[in-house]
Amino acid sequence: MNRTNLCIRMLQLLKARGKLNTTQLATELEVNPRNIREFKKELVLAGYNVEEVKGRYGGYILNDEYDLPVTIFTDEQKDALVQSYKFMRTQKDFKPLSLYCDAMDKIIATSKISSNDTLHYMSNSMELDQKISSMIDKTQQAINHGLCVLLSYQSLQDEVPKEFEVEPYEIIHYHKSYYLIGFSLLRKDYRMYRFSKERMYSCEISSRHFIRDNHFHLSHYIGEHSLIPLDLKQIKVRVNHADNGLRLFKEKYWGNKLQIINKQEDFTDFEFYTDDLSNLYQSLFSMTDQVEILSPEDVKFAYLMRVKQILNAYGDEKI
């Protein structure tokens, strides 16, 4: 029996019997147990949701509860889905818009697609020069594909521009400017580069691949003695799904690197970074009880004090 037929047979066994461990599958297929994990990978690549359950009573199961069993997208398909999602949200005369957005939210939440990866720098009203916008686009594409960028860049200390490669990690917005945080192959260190016509003369996607350092975290490079000398806060909030809370939340700009960290039936927890606490408090107040600050405690306390001051201003008036 060839490899393709073995994968098909494994799929049939999982459909018929539910959970089977490595030994059981290897016995049925008459193969080495080490082959089972390879067959599982091929089935996943083919679009089948074969999952491995760890532990003493673990094994392999076929999760067939998804409406879309084939969820393996190319990078180009991911970009197309994100761009179409952004476009459709602007079509207010599209009658089933809310249903479409709910469906896309589910697809994005259950896949590795990020609706913020290619769009987060467009999340405010700041107008970008076409050349700057193009360089940001190229950098984000390089981040998505794990590729370096080749910069022609002139720092404040340099008299002429230098050409060098950078492993791009993050794009952030700070004080009406955009910055790239990446590992410089020239300096052998993490550096920050401003997207500016006066500093960044060109930015091209390199053919050099890089593996992202798992120890890198944006919070390590912000603060008084870091690359970005500002009080950039890491905020975690809980958004209630009742009364369209999730949709209203997504319509507002909250900060950089907005991402889901926990999704439940009744609520979703988000994480993001911001240095504009006044805007954060205004947005929270407009969302009433639909958004709750989870951390940090000092931001949560400051917001509660503001709410109490508002209540005190009205004294003993009955609500």
Side-chain angles (χ1 to χ4, degrees), residues 38-277:
E38 295 301 318
F39 295 163
K40 181 252 186 183
K41 290 180 180 178
E42 291 191 21
L43 287 170
V44 170
L45 287 173
Y48 295 98
N49 295 292
V50 178
E51 300 175 359
E52 184 176 2
V53 180
K54 301 292 186 180
R56 181 179 178 183
Y57 301 104
Y60 293 93
I61 61 172
L62 175 64
N63 189 337
D64 57 359
E65 295 180 355
Y66 296 101
D67 291 326
L68 297 175
V70 180
T71 55
I72 306 300
F73 300 110
T74 65
D75 291 325
E76 290 76 15
Q77 289 171 332
K78 291 179 183 179
D79 289 342
L81 282 172
V82 170
Q83 295 296 338
S84 67
Y85 189 31
K86 179 190 177 186
F87 172 76
M88 289 303 298
R89 287 172 68 93
T90 67
Q91 306 305 302
K92 302 302 182 184
D93 57 343
F94 179 51
K95 292 183 178 179
L97 179 61
S98 61
L99 295 175
Y100 169 81
C101 290
D102 288 343
M104 283 299 298
D105 284 342
K106 289 181 180 180
I107 293 174
I108 289 171
T110 56
S111 71
K112 293 183 178 180
I113 301 173
S114 171
S115 61
N116 294 309
D117 276 351
T118 56
L119 302 178
H120 74 272
Y121 62 87
M122 298 296 293
S123 55
N124 59 61
S125 59
M126 176 183 170
E127 293 185 3
L128 291 175
D129 175 85
Q130 185 175 0
K131 181 179 179 181
I132 298 299
S133 179
S134 175
M135 290 194 291
I136 294 176
D137 276 332
K138 290 178 181 179
T139 303
Q140 188 61 63
Q141 290 176 35
I143 293 174
N144 294 344
H145 300 157
L147 293 169
C148 294
V149 289
L150 177 63
L151 300 183
S152 176
Y153 192 86
Q154 183 176 358
S155 67
L156 295 177
Q157 294 77 29
D158 295 329
E159 295 184 0
V160 295
K162 292 182 178 179
E163 287 197 356
F164 52 92
E165 286 183 302
V166 173
E167 297 176 355
Y169 274 66
E170 304 284 354
I171 297 173
I172 68 164
H173 173 253
Y174 173 56
H175 285 188
K176 299 184 178 181
S177 295
Y178 289 91
Y179 296 86
L180 162 65
I181 297 179
F183 185 83
S184 170
L185 298 183
L186 175 66
R187 304 297 183 185
K188 305 300 181 184
D189 195 10
Y190 290 99
R191 297 293 174 94
M192 183 170 69
Y193 305 97
R194 183 175 178 176
F195 289 98
S196 163
K197 291 186 293 183
E198 290 73 28
R199 297 194 195 181
M200 193 177 292
Y201 291 84
S202 68
C203 174
E204 300 296 335
I205 300 176
S206 169
S207 61
R208 185 197 298 268
H209 287 265
F210 75 96
I211 299 175
R212 186 183 177 96
D213 184 356
N214 291 330
H215 298 292
F216 177 91
H217 198 282
L218 183 60
S219 61
H220 299 163
Y221 298 92
I222 56 178
E224 184 179 355
H225 303 294
S226 302
L227 290 178
I228 311 168
L230 68 151
D231 187 19
L232 193 59
K233 294 282 189 179
Q234 181 185 36
I235 309 294
K236 295 181 181 180
V237 298
R238 175 160 296 171
V239 182
N240 296 317
H241 294 173
D243 300 323
N244 288 320
L246 187 59
R247 289 197 60 209
L248 293 172
F249 175 85
K250 290 183 176 180
E251 288 179 351
K252 297 180 179 292
Y253 174 69
W254 295 90
N256 285 295
K257 309 307 293 181
L258 178 69
Q259 63 178 337
I260 295 174
I261 56 175
N262 180 27
K263 190 175 182 67
Q264 302 294 330
E265 183 178 353
D266 299 325
F267 65 86
T268 302
D269 294 340
F270 289 87
E271 174 186 274
F272 56 91
Y273 295 87
T274 183
D275 66 322
D276 190 349
L277 293 181

